[in-house]
Amino acid sequence: ILPFQVVGGKVKKPGKRGRKPAKIDLKAKLERSRQSARECRARKKLRYQYLEELVSSRERAICALREELEMYKQWCMAMDQGKIPSEIKALLTGEEQGKAQQNSTKLAKAGKTEANSSNP
């Protein structure tokens, strides 16, 4: 009986495959395990803090959007009753003033280009 076998042209030695386990100090192994567990708990704590902050910021955004929606609903109800809310009047007059200013600047630029092109 040989201490090895020949299977399919390859020599197989009896025993386990891979590296032989080194004589690891049990105390060092336990300490590494504890350190790994501490790091895992710290990562988990940070992840939960991040998620809680994300949830709270989204909740604040939802509240702001609900307030904005309520404001628009009130504006619509007022307009259904034939009243124009002061905020909408301000927006409309601001847009009209903005359009008037844009038109005047366009006319001024057009006038300048015409004046420049007429000079030889």
Side-chain angles (χ1 to χ4, degrees), residues 76-107:
C76 289
M77 287 171 42
M79 286 191 286
D80 287 344
Q81 296 172 355
K83 301 173 188 173
I84 299 176
S86 59
E87 294 91 350
I88 293 179
K89 285 182 183 177
L91 287 173
L92 291 174
T93 57
E95 287 178 8
E96 290 172 3
Q97 289 174 357
K99 287 179 183 176
Q101 288 175 353
Q102 288 175 354
N103 288 339
S104 64
T105 55
K106 285 180 184 177
L107 291 174

Side-chain angles (χ1 to χ4, degrees), residues 5 18 40 54 60 67 69-70 97 109 112 120:
Q5 296 176 343
C40 181
L54 191 64
R60 285 193 300 271
E67 289 174 6
L69 179 64
E70 190 60 35
Q97 289 174 357
K109 286 180 182 178
K112 287 180 184 177

